[in-house]
């Protein structure tokens, strides 16, 4: 079983990579990938690495109609 690897740097490239190939598997870190590869579950034939896409590097929380004060760290 041959495995493909894609490392897009834009959201558009990621969408194209996920739309092509057989059973593409997106990932942004190695933990889930390692668990999947060690398990008896069928392996994906194509992995799409999302961690090089700047727009996906963080999560923003937007509340509408509420004030939110983050806890002090």
């Amino acid at each position: 079983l041959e495995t493909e690897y894609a490392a897009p740097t834009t959201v558009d490239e990621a969408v194209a990579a996920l739309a092509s190939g057989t059973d593409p598997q997106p990932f942004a870190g190695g933990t889930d990938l390692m668990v999947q590869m060690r398990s008896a579950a069928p392996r994906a034939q194509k992995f799409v690495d999302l961690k090089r896409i700047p727009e996906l590097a963080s999560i923003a929380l937007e509340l509408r109609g509420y004030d939110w004060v983050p806890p002090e760290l």
Side-chain angles (χ1 to χ4, degrees), residues 1-55:
L1 179 66
E2 194 167 314
T3 302
E4 292 180 57
Y5 172 79
T9 57
T10 67
V11 173
D12 288 340
E13 289 175 0
V15 170
L18 291 167
S20 66
T22 304
D23 189 30
Q25 176 70 44
F27 73 97
T31 304
D32 290 341
L33 178 60
M34 295 306 293
V35 170
Q36 180 186 16
M37 292 179 83
R38 289 182 181 146
S39 75
R43 290 179 38 181
Q45 292 181 8
K46 181 175 187 176
F47 292 100
V48 181
D49 187 346
L50 303 178
K51 64 184 174 234
R52 291 177 174 83
I53 303 173
E55 294 89 350

